[in-house]
Amino acid sequence: MIRPDAQLRAGHIPADLIPPGTDPRTVVIVHTAPRSWTGPVLLILAGTVGVCALVYITTAAVLSLLQVAATTAVALKAAIPVLIGGGGLISFAIKAPKSGGNRPPLKKR
C-alpha cells in the first residue's frame, strides 16, 4: 500500500489525519464515491445520435423535394408541346441572311 488513498481504503488511518487528543478507535473517514462516467458518455452519445438523425431527415426531405421537382420538370417538358399546340412539333422561325448575292448599296441621305 504505497499510495495514501489505498491505505485509507484499507482502513489504515494515518496519524497526521487524526486531531490531537482524539481516540483513533472513534475516528471514521468517509470516502467519496468514484466518479461515474456513464451520464456524460450517454449524454454525448444521445447528442451525436440526435444530430445524425437531424442531418439524415433533412437530407431525405431535400432529396424528396428534388425528386418532386424533377418529376414536375419532366411532366412539363412532355406537356408543353401539347399545351402550345402542334402535336409535339415546335418550329422556330429564324431569319437568315440571303445567300448567293451581294447586298445593294445603302442609299445616302
Side-chain angles (χ1 to χ4, degrees), residues 41-64:
V41 169
L42 288 178
L43 182 65
I44 290 172
L45 285 175
T48 304
V49 168
V51 168
C52 290
L54 182 66
V55 168
Y56 179 77
I57 290 172
T58 304
T59 304
V62 168
L63 290 177
S64 67

Side-chain angles (χ1 to χ4, degrees), residues 7-28:
Q7 292 177 351
L8 290 173
R9 279 195 306 265
H12 301 288
I13 303 171
D16 58 337
L17 293 179
I18 301 173
T22 307
D23 184 15
R25 294 175 291 180
T26 61
V27 174
V28 176

Side-chain angles (χ1 to χ4, degrees), residues 12 37 66-67 71-72 83:
H12 301 288
W37 291 96
L66 287 175
Q67 182 181 9
T71 305
T72 305
L83 294 174

